[in-house]
Amino acid sequence: MQKPTPQTANRFERRRAHSRQALVTAARRILAESGDTSASIQEIAARADVGFGTFYNHFATKTELFDAAVADALEEYGQLLDSVTQHIDDPAETISASVRLTLILAATHPEVTQIVRLRGLPHVHADTGLGPRALRDLEVGRTSGRFVLDDTKVALSAVGGAMIGLLQLNTAAGIDAKAGEQMAELILRLLGLPLEEAHEVATRPLPQLP
Amino acid sequence: MQKPTPQTANRFERRRAHSRQALVTAARRILAESGDTSASIQEIAARADVGFGTFYNHFATKTELFDAAVADALEEYGQLLDSVTQHIDDPAETISASVRLTLILAATHPEVTQIVRLRGLPHVHADTGLGPRALRDLEVGRTSGRFVLDDTKVALSAVGGAMIGLLQLNTAAGIDAKAGEQMAELILRLLGLPLEEAHEVATRPLPQLP
DNA sequence: TTCACAATTGATGAACCTGTCAGAGGTGGC
DNA sequence: GCCACCTCTGACAGGTTCATCAATTGTGAA
């Protein structure tokens, strides 16, 4: 019987990858807690349980590390949304589920969500994370006539901004799932759905988390 | 003939106020340029054309100064919007004008607008700046039946987030006034206006800047 | 003019942060 | 087992930031 093939051939690469990931994870935690990048490299290395000098084996500057940490968190967030919405056909329901799921993730994955709230907006039009997924759904909805949109970019900015506004409200005031439904309803109206239809789609049962 | 009465009685207070305002203004510029607060107190004092020690006569920490700078900019932004919208009766038109004006201000007052984009969202539900003004207009519109809203707080988060999304899009891609009209139209839909009416209000002539 | 008081100023030393580097320790080929 | 190679590690020097404080300058009243 053969051993399960390890993901990488040799231990050099695995050891290296482990150190790097420890640094990224520490940076994500710090970012989610304090919201800024002022922690010293010493502190980051200590929280990653890694020697100080190791930092410079992986990143040239602190900015480089935090950029990697943000990208890491946004990609994880996008994949979480994808895993739930990939089997939904109606683009309106996809948007609605994404909005409502975002609020649930704020409770179950607070660290990822904090980074989305604090750093997500500049990435809405980037080619990773939430942006391209939402853009794809907006285009599908527009082509099929379900959404009434003139400029998809403006709509994407509005939807992305509104979702981050919801996270902000949640952080500031602590809201419940009902607020997620209402935000989804408002966003569906924004996309051109009639009032009643927006309400109906926004209150459909949410797909189960995997 | 009497001298025009100075705003403050003695020069002690005026001198002090001048130093403080120079520091706040320098902090605003730095915030708008770099987006972060990592500049040293030495650098801030130099840009304010003020001695290093003077900083500590007015602020205990750098955070305190930057908080004051953000509050200063948001209040200025709110007053700019007020000065244009105060004579508008229709709450839908007030919201529309505020959205479209925000994009104009991004060109004429880039420094204020950058701070709104970077730091505005956490203040949407505060009691200064844009928040209370928008909340007031939302309440008026809801009471009069022009807006169809269940939870005003959620709507405020959505509107605030969408506006900051517009500023983000402008910073990233450089958009024109047409995008402001489209964003206004989307936000009016969100508030419950029918498609045609949202379009009509969003394309009305904008009041002149003072 | 003289005086008391308030605000400003930059020098100072302690604390901190960064990037480097030589040595230690783990890894795989032979 | 041995050796070349790769990664990790923390001490160190050089530079920067911070908060304090004694001296200086500006202000208004007598």
Side-chain angles (χ1 to χ4, degrees), chain B residues 24-49:
Chain B
V24 169
T25 301
R28 281 178 52 162
R29 295 219 177 101
I30 289 170
L31 210 48
E33 285 167 17
S34 73
D36 66 36
T37 64
S38 62
S40 71
I41 294 172
Q42 277 184 333
E43 188 186 330
I44 297 169
R47 291 189 61 167
D49 196 21

PDB file of all heavy atoms in Angstrom, chain B residues 24-49:
ATOM      1  N   VAL B  24      -4.616  70.375  12.030  1.00  0.00           N
ATOM      2  CA  VAL B  24      -5.741  69.607  11.481  1.00  0.00           C
ATOM      3  C   VAL B  24      -5.693  69.620   9.958  1.00  0.00           C
ATOM      4  O   VAL B  24      -5.895  68.584   9.303  1.00  0.00           O
ATOM      5  CB  VAL B  24      -7.080  70.190  11.993  1.00  0.00           C
ATOM      6  CG1 VAL B  24      -8.251  69.593  11.219  1.00  0.00           C
ATOM      7  CG2 VAL B  24      -7.239  69.924  13.476  1.00  0.00           C
ATOM      8  N   THR B  25      -5.413  70.767   9.381  1.00  0.00           N
ATOM      9  CA  THR B  25      -5.349  70.863   7.926  1.00  0.00           C
ATOM     10  C   THR B  25      -4.227  69.994   7.362  1.00  0.00           C
ATOM     11  O   THR B  25      -4.412  69.296   6.355  1.00  0.00           O
ATOM     12  CB  THR B  25      -5.133  72.329   7.513  1.00  0.00           C
ATOM     13  OG1 THR B  25      -6.208  73.119   8.026  1.00  0.00           O
ATOM     14  CG2 THR B  25      -5.073  72.462   6.003  1.00  0.00           C
ATOM     15  N   ALA B  26      -3.082  70.025   8.018  1.00  0.00           N
ATOM     16  CA  ALA B  26      -1.970  69.179   7.568  1.00  0.00           C
ATOM     17  C   ALA B  26      -2.358  67.711   7.641  1.00  0.00           C
ATOM     18  O   ALA B  26      -2.083  66.934   6.718  1.00  0.00           O
ATOM     19  CB  ALA B  26      -0.734  69.445   8.416  1.00  0.00           C
ATOM     20  N   ALA B  27      -3.026  67.332   8.726  1.00  0.00           N
ATOM     21  CA  ALA B  27      -3.448  65.936   8.878  1.00  0.00           C
ATOM     22  C   ALA B  27      -4.444  65.554   7.787  1.00  0.00           C
ATOM     23  O   ALA B  27      -4.397  64.451   7.236  1.00  0.00           O
ATOM     24  CB  ALA B  27      -4.060  65.726  10.260  1.00  0.00           C
ATOM     25  N   ARG B  28      -5.353  66.466   7.457  1.00  0.00           N
ATOM     26  CA  ARG B  28      -6.310  66.198   6.385  1.00  0.00           C
ATOM     27  C   ARG B  28      -5.602  65.967   5.063  1.00  0.00           C
ATOM     28  O   ARG B  28      -5.936  65.038   4.314  1.00  0.00           O
ATOM     29  CB  ARG B  28      -7.290  67.373   6.260  1.00  0.00           C
ATOM     30  CG  ARG B  28      -8.386  67.355   7.294  1.00  0.00           C
ATOM     31  CD  ARG B  28      -9.310  68.550   7.175  1.00  0.00           C
ATOM     32  NE  ARG B  28      -9.836  68.741   5.832  1.00  0.00           N
ATOM     33  CZ  ARG B  28     -10.900  69.471   5.552  1.00  0.00           C
ATOM     34  NH1 ARG B  28     -11.557  70.098   6.517  1.00  0.00           N
ATOM     35  NH2 ARG B  28     -11.312  69.603   4.315  1.00  0.00           N
ATOM     36  N   ARG B  29      -4.601  66.803   4.771  1.00  0.00           N
ATOM     37  CA  ARG B  29      -3.883  66.642   3.506  1.00  0.00           C
ATOM     38  C   ARG B  29      -3.175  65.304   3.463  1.00  0.00           C
ATOM     39  O   ARG B  29      -3.205  64.591   2.454  1.00  0.00           O
ATOM     40  CB  ARG B  29      -2.859  67.773   3.351  1.00  0.00           C
ATOM     41  CG  ARG B  29      -3.510  69.133   3.227  1.00  0.00           C
ATOM     42  CD  ARG B  29      -2.782  70.019   2.198  1.00  0.00           C
ATOM     43  NE  ARG B  29      -3.500  71.295   2.074  1.00  0.00           N
ATOM     44  CZ  ARG B  29      -3.101  72.420   2.659  1.00  0.00           C
ATOM     45  NH1 ARG B  29      -1.996  72.445   3.381  1.00  0.00           N
ATOM     46  NH2 ARG B  29      -3.803  73.526   2.500  1.00  0.00           N
ATOM     47  N   ILE B  30      -2.511  64.973   4.549  1.00  0.00           N
ATOM     48  CA  ILE B  30      -1.768  63.710   4.604  1.00  0.00           C
ATOM     49  C   ILE B  30      -2.723  62.531   4.440  1.00  0.00           C
ATOM     50  O   ILE B  30      -2.459  61.591   3.690  1.00  0.00           O
ATOM     51  CB  ILE B  30      -0.992  63.610   5.929  1.00  0.00           C
ATOM     52  CG1 ILE B  30       0.166  64.604   5.907  1.00  0.00           C
ATOM     53  CG2 ILE B  30      -0.506  62.200   6.184  1.00  0.00           C
ATOM     54  CD1 ILE B  30       0.856  64.776   7.238  1.00  0.00           C
ATOM     55  N   LEU B  31      -3.860  62.609   5.126  1.00  0.00           N
ATOM     56  CA  LEU B  31      -4.849  61.541   5.048  1.00  0.00           C
ATOM     57  C   LEU B  31      -5.362  61.377   3.619  1.00  0.00           C
ATOM     58  O   LEU B  31      -5.504  60.258   3.111  1.00  0.00           O
ATOM     59  CB  LEU B  31      -6.009  61.886   5.980  1.00  0.00           C
ATOM     60  CG  LEU B  31      -6.793  60.765   6.631  1.00  0.00           C
ATOM     61  CD1 LEU B  31      -5.875  59.739   7.238  1.00  0.00           C
ATOM     62  CD2 LEU B  31      -7.693  61.362   7.697  1.00  0.00           C
ATOM     63  N   ALA B  32      -5.618  62.498   2.960  1.00  0.00           N
ATOM     64  CA  ALA B  32      -6.136  62.440   1.596  1.00  0.00           C
ATOM     65  C   ALA B  32      -5.092  61.912   0.620  1.00  0.00           C
ATOM     66  O   ALA B  32      -5.419  61.236  -0.346  1.00  0.00           O
ATOM     67  CB  ALA B  32      -6.604  63.830   1.156  1.00  0.00           C
ATOM     68  N   GLU B  33      -3.826  62.207   0.894  1.00  0.00           N
ATOM     69  CA  GLU B  33      -2.769  61.784  -0.031  1.00  0.00           C
ATOM     70  C   GLU B  33      -2.416  60.317   0.144  1.00  0.00           C
ATOM     71  O   GLU B  33      -2.352  59.560  -0.820  1.00  0.00           O
ATOM     72  CB  GLU B  33      -1.507  62.623   0.205  1.00  0.00           C
ATOM     73  CG  GLU B  33      -1.617  64.040  -0.349  1.00  0.00           C
ATOM     74  CD  GLU B  33      -0.491  64.917   0.197  1.00  0.00           C
ATOM     75  OE1 GLU B  33       0.505  64.362   0.714  1.00  0.00           O
ATOM     76  OE2 GLU B  33      -0.628  66.156   0.107  1.00  0.00           O
ATOM     77  N   SER B  34      -2.138  59.931   1.375  1.00  0.00           N
ATOM     78  CA  SER B  34      -1.594  58.593   1.601  1.00  0.00           C
ATOM     79  C   SER B  34      -2.644  57.612   2.111  1.00  0.00           C
ATOM     80  O   SER B  34      -2.444  56.404   2.020  1.00  0.00           O
ATOM     81  CB  SER B  34      -0.449  58.652   2.607  1.00  0.00           C
ATOM     82  OG  SER B  34      -0.960  58.888   3.906  1.00  0.00           O
ATOM     83  N   GLY B  35      -3.717  58.124   2.672  1.00  0.00           N
ATOM     84  CA  GLY B  35      -4.756  57.241   3.174  1.00  0.00           C
ATOM     85  C   GLY B  35      -4.477  56.629   4.523  1.00  0.00           C
ATOM     86  O   GLY B  35      -5.348  56.000   5.102  1.00  0.00           O
ATOM     87  N   ASP B  36      -3.267  56.785   5.052  1.00  0.00           N
ATOM     88  CA  ASP B  36      -3.005  56.217   6.366  1.00  0.00           C
ATOM     89  C   ASP B  36      -2.456  57.274   7.321  1.00  0.00           C
ATOM     90  O   ASP B  36      -2.230  58.414   6.943  1.00  0.00           O
ATOM     91  CB  ASP B  36      -2.069  55.013   6.283  1.00  0.00           C
ATOM     92  CG  ASP B  36      -0.694  55.414   5.812  1.00  0.00           C
ATOM     93  OD1 ASP B  36      -0.216  56.499   6.168  1.00  0.00           O
ATOM     94  OD2 ASP B  36      -0.087  54.621   5.062  1.00  0.00           O
ATOM     95  N   THR B  37      -2.236  56.866   8.529  1.00  0.00           N
ATOM     96  CA  THR B  37      -1.852  57.802   9.583  1.00  0.00           C
ATOM     97  C   THR B  37      -0.432  57.534  10.062  1.00  0.00           C
ATOM     98  O   THR B  37      -0.099  57.835  11.205  1.00  0.00           O
ATOM     99  CB  THR B  37      -2.813  57.668  10.773  1.00  0.00           C
ATOM    100  OG1 THR B  37      -2.674  56.361  11.334  1.00  0.00           O
ATOM    101  CG2 THR B  37      -4.252  57.864  10.338  1.00  0.00           C
ATOM    102  N   SER B  38       0.403  57.000   9.174  1.00  0.00           N
ATOM    103  CA  SER B  38       1.734  56.598   9.614  1.00  0.00           C
ATOM    104  C   SER B  38       2.743  57.741   9.580  1.00  0.00           C
ATOM    105  O   SER B  38       3.871  57.570  10.030  1.00  0.00           O
ATOM    106  CB  SER B  38       2.233  55.433   8.764  1.00  0.00           C
ATOM    107  OG  SER B  38       2.328  55.828   7.415  1.00  0.00           O
ATOM    108  N   ALA B  39       2.376  58.878   9.038  1.00  0.00           N
ATOM    109  CA  ALA B  39       3.305  60.012   9.024  1.00  0.00           C
ATOM    110  C   ALA B  39       3.727  60.354  10.452  1.00  0.00           C
ATOM    111  O   ALA B  39       2.932  60.253  11.382  1.00  0.00           O
ATOM    112  CB  ALA B  39       2.635  61.215   8.361  1.00  0.00           C
ATOM    113  N   SER B  40       4.979  60.749  10.600  1.00  0.00           N
ATOM    114  CA  SER B  40       5.472  61.066  11.930  1.00  0.00           C
ATOM    115  C   SER B  40       4.959  62.428  12.379  1.00  0.00           C
ATOM    116  O   SER B  40       4.588  63.273  11.566  1.00  0.00           O
ATOM    117  CB  SER B  40       6.994  61.062  11.949  1.00  0.00           C
ATOM    118  OG  SER B  40       7.480  62.178  11.236  1.00  0.00           O
ATOM    119  N   ILE B  41       4.958  62.614  13.689  1.00  0.00           N
ATOM    120  CA  ILE B  41       4.525  63.897  14.233  1.00  0.00           C
ATOM    121  C   ILE B  41       5.451  65.007  13.755  1.00  0.00           C
ATOM    122  O   ILE B  41       5.006  66.126  13.480  1.00  0.00           O
ATOM    123  CB  ILE B  41       4.478  63.813  15.772  1.00  0.00           C
ATOM    124  CG1 ILE B  41       3.385  62.832  16.194  1.00  0.00           C
ATOM    125  CG2 ILE B  41       4.226  65.172  16.389  1.00  0.00           C
ATOM    126  CD1 ILE B  41       3.374  62.521  17.664  1.00  0.00           C
ATOM    127  N   GLN B  42       6.708  64.692  13.622  1.00  0.00           N
ATOM    128  CA  GLN B  42       7.646  65.666  13.072  1.00  0.00           C
ATOM    129  C   GLN B  42       7.196  66.148  11.693  1.00  0.00           C
ATOM    130  O   GLN B  42       7.150  67.346  11.424  1.00  0.00           O
ATOM    131  CB  GLN B  42       9.038  65.030  12.938  1.00  0.00           C
ATOM    132  CG  GLN B  42       9.846  65.049  14.226  1.00  0.00           C
ATOM    133  CD  GLN B  42      11.246  64.510  14.021  1.00  0.00           C
ATOM    134  OE1 GLN B  42      11.487  63.691  13.123  1.00  0.00           O
ATOM    135  NE2 GLN B  42      12.179  64.954  14.851  1.00  0.00           N
ATOM    136  N   GLU B  43       6.844  65.193  10.853  1.00  0.00           N
ATOM    137  CA  GLU B  43       6.446  65.551   9.485  1.00  0.00           C
ATOM    138  C   GLU B  43       5.155  66.369   9.498  1.00  0.00           C
ATOM    139  O   GLU B  43       5.026  67.359   8.760  1.00  0.00           O
ATOM    140  CB  GLU B  43       6.251  64.267   8.669  1.00  0.00           C
ATOM    141  CG  GLU B  43       6.021  64.537   7.192  1.00  0.00           C
ATOM    142  CD  GLU B  43       5.691  63.256   6.430  1.00  0.00           C
ATOM    143  OE1 GLU B  43       6.170  62.181   6.840  1.00  0.00           O
ATOM    144  OE2 GLU B  43       4.924  63.335   5.443  1.00  0.00           O
ATOM    145  N   ILE B  44       4.213  65.954  10.309  1.00  0.00           N
ATOM    146  CA  ILE B  44       2.942  66.682  10.381  1.00  0.00           C
ATOM    147  C   ILE B  44       3.177  68.118  10.833  1.00  0.00           C
ATOM    148  O   ILE B  44       2.669  69.067  10.231  1.00  0.00           O
ATOM    149  CB  ILE B  44       1.978  65.973  11.360  1.00  0.00           C
ATOM    150  CG1 ILE B  44       1.651  64.572  10.857  1.00  0.00           C
ATOM    151  CG2 ILE B  44       0.704  66.780  11.526  1.00  0.00           C
ATOM    152  CD1 ILE B  44       0.937  63.707  11.882  1.00  0.00           C
ATOM    153  N   ALA B  45       3.995  68.262  11.887  1.00  0.00           N
ATOM    154  CA  ALA B  45       4.273  69.602  12.392  1.00  0.00           C
ATOM    155  C   ALA B  45       4.968  70.452  11.330  1.00  0.00           C
ATOM    156  O   ALA B  45       4.641  71.632  11.157  1.00  0.00           O
ATOM    157  CB  ALA B  45       5.127  69.514  13.650  1.00  0.00           C
ATOM    158  N   ALA B  46       5.886  69.833  10.604  1.00  0.00           N
ATOM    159  CA  ALA B  46       6.593  70.580   9.566  1.00  0.00           C
ATOM    160  C   ALA B  46       5.626  71.064   8.499  1.00  0.00           C
ATOM    161  O   ALA B  46       5.681  72.216   8.056  1.00  0.00           O
ATOM    162  CB  ALA B  46       7.684  69.696   8.947  1.00  0.00           C
ATOM    163  N   ARG B  47       4.706  70.170   8.067  1.00  0.00           N
ATOM    164  CA  ARG B  47       3.754  70.574   7.028  1.00  0.00           C
ATOM    165  C   ARG B  47       2.771  71.605   7.531  1.00  0.00           C
ATOM    166  O   ARG B  47       2.218  72.375   6.751  1.00  0.00           O
ATOM    167  CB  ARG B  47       3.007  69.339   6.505  1.00  0.00           C
ATOM    168  CG  ARG B  47       3.933  68.440   5.721  1.00  0.00           C
ATOM    169  CD  ARG B  47       3.178  67.351   5.016  1.00  0.00           C
ATOM    170  NE  ARG B  47       2.218  67.848   4.052  1.00  0.00           N
ATOM    171  CZ  ARG B  47       1.629  67.096   3.140  1.00  0.00           C
ATOM    172  NH1 ARG B  47       1.917  65.818   3.080  1.00  0.00           N
ATOM    173  NH2 ARG B  47       0.759  67.605   2.305  1.00  0.00           N
ATOM    174  N   ALA B  48       2.536  71.601   8.844  1.00  0.00           N
ATOM    175  CA  ALA B  48       1.652  72.623   9.420  1.00  0.00           C
ATOM    176  C   ALA B  48       2.417  73.914   9.670  1.00  0.00           C
ATOM    177  O   ALA B  48       1.817  74.912  10.083  1.00  0.00           O
ATOM    178  CB  ALA B  48       1.043  72.110  10.715  1.00  0.00           C
ATOM    179  N   ASP B  49       3.717  73.898   9.413  1.00  0.00           N
ATOM    180  CA  ASP B  49       4.574  75.066   9.666  1.00  0.00           C
ATOM    181  C   ASP B  49       4.472  75.483  11.129  1.00  0.00           C
ATOM    182  O   ASP B  49       4.218  76.641  11.453  1.00  0.00           O
ATOM    183  CB  ASP B  49       4.187  76.220   8.739  1.00  0.00           C
ATOM    184  CG  ASP B  49       5.297  77.271   8.701  1.00  0.00           C
ATOM    185  OD1 ASP B  49       6.438  76.925   9.044  1.00  0.00           O
ATOM    186  OD2 ASP B  49       5.008  78.418   8.341  1.00  0.00           O
TER     187      ASP B  49
END
